Each structure stands twice: as structure tokens, then as C-alpha cells.
Amino acid sequence: MRVIDSHTEGQPTRVIVDGGPDLGSGSLAERRELLARDHDDLRQKTILEPKCSNAMVGALLCQSPNPYCAAGVIFFNNTGYLGMCGHGTIGLAVTLAYLGKLSLGSHLIDTPSGVVRVDLNGPNDATVENVPSYCFRKSVELTVDGLGKVSGSIAWGGNWFFLADSTPCILSRENIPQLTDAASKIKRALVEQSIFGADGGEIDHVEFFGPGQSSDVNSRNFVLCPGLAYDRSPCGTGTSAKIACLAENGQLAPGEDWIQESIMGSRFRGSYRPDEEGRVIPSIAGTSYVFADAKLVHQSDDPFARGFG
Ligand code: PYC
């Protein structure tokens, strides 16, 4: 199985460019179900520790049934499958450019959450125009073990996010263990208190916000992903969810830039446009670098081939 590894603003993506299972020719959402049901060992063998850090997002390159799409992709992580992934789509575009399979310019990419557009601006720079994003609920209150009352918004950016109204501590690298602990407790409380997304989907990403480190940044975030790894990038779908909430509150105009900084200090430049139906279509721009072009091998007696179990 050939994989290409990259990182987008610090967050890694491993694209499986060949050697994946035959998932038929259904929609990407249908194929994601098949992959999860019948071939989860692919996810386990490709990205779980000890092979990768638990932040790694896997991306199975597929052919899209939509003839206008340059590619299809199914994203997965250390615990399951994602609908969309912003940093991963930028990583995929840069990976395809590295392989000589994507030219500079505009392309459509099919994902289980819908078709997105990617503009490859240079060999390492891409802008993703994401799926329609929206704020589902505001001022949602929950009681969280050790934190007391916590309030926030629930928003869709291609995945479900809880955007907390306040942060338990300063958003600094030294506080990552505390931030991870607080966000994990919020994630658990959402399930326990039966608070879900619009479609009953689990709200499996939690975001905290604070001031950026310099005046040209609008905000810094900390994003906890479903498998309890934190996003080293500002999270493309998380920034989209934030932009949808800002648009809903009249705090960001169409076309206005929103510079989102990650807990590691890397940045995405975001903005949005309204579509014909007035929905928020966020764009996220970032940089990605390829760092490995490898063949994965699986030895039959490797006790940790599928991770630590
Ligand atoms: O960039 O959308 C993103 C993302 C989701 C999970 C990790 N990164």
C-alpha cells in the first residue's frame, strides 16, 4: 500500500494512493459506511500507533461517481470516520500536486459530507471552499464534571462542533493537557445529556477560543478531535463552524478575512460567501508540505499491526 504523508499547518494527513479495498461505485457516504463496516482493519493498520501519532488523519483516495470531481476521498482518524476534513483536503490537494495528478487552479473533490472545491494556488498552498456551514443552536447550557455550567454554540462545518463560550485556561501549549481534559469532559457531557447535532449526529469535536498572539490574528483555538487527539492546525471544519457562527451573529461580513490561529501558532485564512440560498460557504486557505512517500508493509506476526487494541 503506497501512502503519502503531509502536514497542513502542523496537522498530519496520510493519503492512501493505492492498495485500498474495492468499495464499489456508490456515493462517498455509502462507501464510507462500507469501509467502516467491512474494512476497518485498513484504518487500524494504516494510522494507529505505533505506526503514527494519534493526531494522524487518514485519507483513502477514491474515484468519485461525479464526473466533474477530480477525486473522491474518505477521511478517518484514530477512532473512526470523518465527514469532511479541511486540513486533510488541503493535504490531499498538495499530495496530488506532488504526484503530478492535480494542476494549479480550481478542482472539485467529493467527500462523504458533500462536494467541496479546492483551489491549488501553488505546489504547497490551497484554498478549500467547504460544504454549507451553519450555527444550529446558540447558548446551549450543560453541566460538566469538574467544570460546572458550560455554555456554547453547536455548529456544522462538515463535522459537528461544540464551540464553548469560554475557555478553562489560557490557550497555550503548556496547557494542552488541561485543555484536552476539559474538552473531553464536555464531549462526554454532550452525549450524557443527549445533546446532538441537527441530524442526531454526535457532537464529536469541541473548540475553545481565545485571543491570538499577534494583532493580525482574529482568534486562537484549541480543537479536540473525536479520538481525543487535539488538532495541531486551526482545523478547517472547526474554522468553518466558527465562521458560520460569526456570520449568524453579524460579526463577520461576506468576503471579510478571519485569521484563525491554532494552539501551535499556525494559521488558516478563512472567509465566506453566501450561496443562492443564503447559506454560508466558508473558504479556508492554508499550506501543506509532503514529508514521506512510503510503502506500508504488514508482517503477519506483528502483534501491533492493528494498533494496541
Ligand atoms: O481540518 O477539518 C479539519 C479537521 C478535522 C479533524 C482534524 N482536522
Side-chain angles (χ1 to χ4, degrees), residues 3 11 20-21 24 52 75 82 96 131-132 134 170 173-174 181 191 206 213 229 240 248-249 255 273 283 294 309:
V3 297
Q11 176 73 1
C52 288
F75 293 110
L82 290 163
L96 292 175
V131 295
Y134 61 99
I170 291 171
R173 283 195 210 182
E174 308 78 71
D181 183 58
V191 173
V206 175
Q213 276 190 329
S240 298
E248 159 95 12
N249 296 336
R273 67 170 175 89
S283 285

Side-chain angles (χ1 to χ4, degrees), residues 2-3 13 34-35 54 59 94 97 148 161 183 208 223 228 234 265 286 291 309:
R2 185 177 176 195
V3 297
T13 308
L34 274 183
L35 184 62
N54 67 3
V94 165
F161 287 83
F208 296 127
V223 183
L228 307 185
F291 61 86

Side-chain angles (χ1 to χ4, degrees), residues 266-298:
S266 58
R267 296 174 182 191
F268 279 153
R269 195 181 66 253
S271 62
Y272 75 97
R273 67 170 175 89
D275 72 1
E276 316 70 45
E277 295 163 51
R279 298 177 303 179
V280 170
I281 311 292
S283 285
I284 306 293
T287 302
S288 190
Y289 295 93
V290 168
F291 61 86
D293 181 344
K295 182 175 155 199
L296 289 191
V297 294
H298 304 292

Side-chain angles (χ1 to χ4, degrees), residues 10 55 57 96 121 140 193:
V57 169
L96 292 175
N121 309 314
V140 176
Q193 291 162 49

Side-chain angles (χ1 to χ4, degrees), residues 3 43 49 59 62 66 145 147 154 156 197 207 265 279-280 290 303:
V3 297
R43 181 185 67 81
E49 283 192 285
C62 307
N66 179 337
D145 220 16
L147 299 176
I154 297 169
W156 175 255
E207 260 188 282
R279 298 177 303 179
V280 170
V290 168

Side-chain angles (χ1 to χ4, degrees), residues 71-92:
V73 62
I74 302 170
F75 293 110
F76 49 88
N77 60 21
N78 58 339
T79 191
Y81 297 82
L82 290 163
M84 196 1 229
C85 180
H87 92 268
T89 306
I90 294 171
L92 173 67

Side-chain angles (χ1 to χ4, degrees), residues 46-274:
T46 310
I47 58 162
L48 291 191
E49 283 192 285
K51 287 171 195 148
C52 288
S53 110
N54 67 3
M56 180 64 90
V57 169
L60 177 63
L61 184 63
C62 307
Q63 217 176 353
S64 167
N66 179 337
Y68 296 105
C69 289
V73 62
I74 302 170
F75 293 110
F76 49 88
N77 60 21
N78 58 339
T79 191
Y81 297 82
L82 290 163
M84 196 1 229
C85 180
H87 92 268
T89 306
I90 294 171
L92 173 67
V94 165
T95 293
L96 292 175
Y98 162 84
L99 291 170
K101 290 185 173 175
L102 205 69
S103 53
L104 295 187
S106 213
H107 307 274
L108 298 179
I109 307 283
D110 205 355
T111 79
S113 288
V115 172
V116 300
R117 201 184 79 203
V118 67
D119 285 316
L120 186 66
N121 309 314
N124 297 98
D125 296 321
T127 304
V128 181
E129 191 176 79
N130 199 1
V131 295
S133 301
Y134 61 99
C135 179
F136 173 51
R137 289 177 65 190
K138 289 194 246 186
S139 307
V140 176
E141 286 212 340
L142 59 156
T143 307
V144 183
D145 220 16
L147 299 176
K149 286 240 179 300
V150 170
S151 72
S153 300
I154 297 169
W156 175 255
N159 295 299
W160 283 110
F161 287 83
F162 182 81
L163 296 87
D165 290 337
S166 58
T167 170
C169 54
I170 291 171
L171 299 192
S172 64
R173 283 195 210 182
E174 308 78 71
N175 286 339
I176 285 172
Q178 259 174 281
L179 293 161
T180 300
D181 183 58
S184 309
K185 286 178 172 157
I186 292 174
K187 183 174 171 306
R188 201 173 326 125
L190 287 162
V191 173
E192 283 167 2
Q193 291 162 49
S194 300
I195 299 172
F196 299 109
D199 51 4
E202 185 183 341
I203 301 158
D204 53 7
H205 294 73
V206 175
E207 260 188 282
F208 296 127
F209 296 92
Q213 276 190 329
S214 54
S215 58
D216 58 340
V217 165
N218 295 97
S219 155
R220 167 174 273 231
N221 68 5
F222 172 85
V223 183
L224 188 77
C225 298
L228 307 185
Y230 68 91
D231 200 326
R232 277 69 170 164
S233 83
C235 189
T237 51
T239 301
S240 298
K242 174 71 175 174
I243 285 174
C245 293
L246 291 165
E248 159 95 12
N249 296 336
Q251 292 168 312
L252 191 71
E256 196 181 334
D257 274 350
W258 180 262
I259 309 298
Q260 186 67 61
E261 184 179 66
S262 73
I263 190 75
M264 308 310 283
S266 58
R267 296 174 182 191
F268 279 153
R269 195 181 66 253
S271 62
Y272 75 97
R273 67 170 175 89

